[in-house]
Amino acid sequence: MTNERGFTLVEMMIALLIFGLLAAAGVSLLSFGVRAQAVAGKKLDDVAALSRLDGVMVADLAQAVPRRTRDESGSVHPAFEGSDGRTLLRLVRSGWDNIDGAPRASVQKLAYVLTDDGTIQRVAYPMLDGAAPLPPATMLTNVGSVRLRYRLAGAWSDTWQARPNVPLPDAVEMTIARTDGTVFRELFLVGTGNAMAAGATNAG
């Protein structure tokens, strides 16, 4: 008669218990890794959006020109307008590439708008006078508030009023408070004709 050996019920239950513990640990580790990757990806996307907003505003404000415009109703607007409710900035910039040779100017009217849902949008116009805006481009989300200041002749002001002999400020300071409590302060030179800004600093 052959001796047959196998696992007892107790040994089998212990083996299943150990396997279950290892499986649970593996699932927890995988879940943590997925969550960490999602959080990191979201943070990187947010940093990229901030950098994109900074870069676009540097170019727009550096190429601002003193050209007045008319809206769809025919009302005249100054070359540079500061914060006015939802509209953060409205200006005209040069350097608008015309690769296709379209019948338009090389300068462009645009505005930066803060929507009710906390999104900063860049709104461009196909023509300087009397044209409806193009579809807005989303630049930054999760914005709680935006505060603007304007520098002229060495002095800062919370408001901007254009004058015939001074159509543009020297610089603009933008303080962005995010919905998570983070605050960023951006400084931009205006009308310098180059893509150079005073810098961006994290103030929170």
Side-chain angles (χ1 to χ4, degrees):
M1 182 176 179
T2 331
N3 290 332
E4 295 183 359
R5 298 187 54 127
F7 292 106
T8 65
L9 180 60
V10 174
E11 291 173 334
M12 183 63 72
M13 292 181 65
I14 293 174
L16 290 174
L17 176 62
I18 295 173
F19 177 77
L21 292 174
L22 291 175
V27 170
S28 298
L29 184 62
L30 179 61
S31 177
F32 175 77
V34 170
R35 289 198 303 269
Q37 185 176 15
V39 171
K42 185 177 180 180
K43 188 65 177 178
L44 288 174
D45 290 343
D46 197 51
V47 171
L50 277 167
S51 298
R52 184 167 57 251
L53 173 65
D54 181 67
V56 172
M57 291 193 69
V58 164
D60 286 342
L61 290 170
Q63 298 183 84
V65 294
R67 204 283 196 183
R68 294 190 300 172
T69 60
R70 293 181 181 272
D71 59 22
E72 294 176 82
S73 66
S75 300
V76 178
H77 289 266
F80 189 97
E81 293 180 278
S83 183
D84 176 21
R86 292 177 65 249
T87 301
L88 302 175
L89 292 171
R90 184 182 289 111
L91 65 141
V92 176
R93 60 156 288 175
S94 62
W96 188 18
D97 293 334
N98 193 356
I99 300 175
D100 299 328
R104 61 167 176 79
S106 61
V107 291
Q108 183 182 37
K109 180 172 70 173
L110 56 92
Y112 285 89
V113 176
L114 178 62
T115 65
D116 294 334
D117 63 354
T119 300
I120 294 179
Q121 295 179 337
R122 183 181 185 270
V123 182
Y125 292 77
M127 299 292 176
L128 290 173
D129 300 308
L134 298 169
T138 296
M139 303 302 297
L140 189 65
T141 58
N142 300 319
V143 177
S145 64
V146 177
R147 178 173 176 263
L148 294 169
R149 293 201 306 157
Y150 313 91
R151 185 176 178 86
L152 181 65
W156 287 98
S157 174
D158 291 332
T159 59
W160 172 254
Q161 296 293 332
R163 299 190 296 273
N165 59 331
V166 186
L168 304 173
D170 296 329
V172 171
E173 177 192 76
M174 175 181 283
T175 302
I176 301 173
R178 309 298 301 280
T179 53
D180 62 0
T182 307
V183 178
F184 292 89
R185 186 169 63 93
E186 313 265 353
L187 299 176
F188 306 98
L189 299 179
V190 178
T192 59
N194 59 51
M196 175 179 171
T201 58
N202 184 342

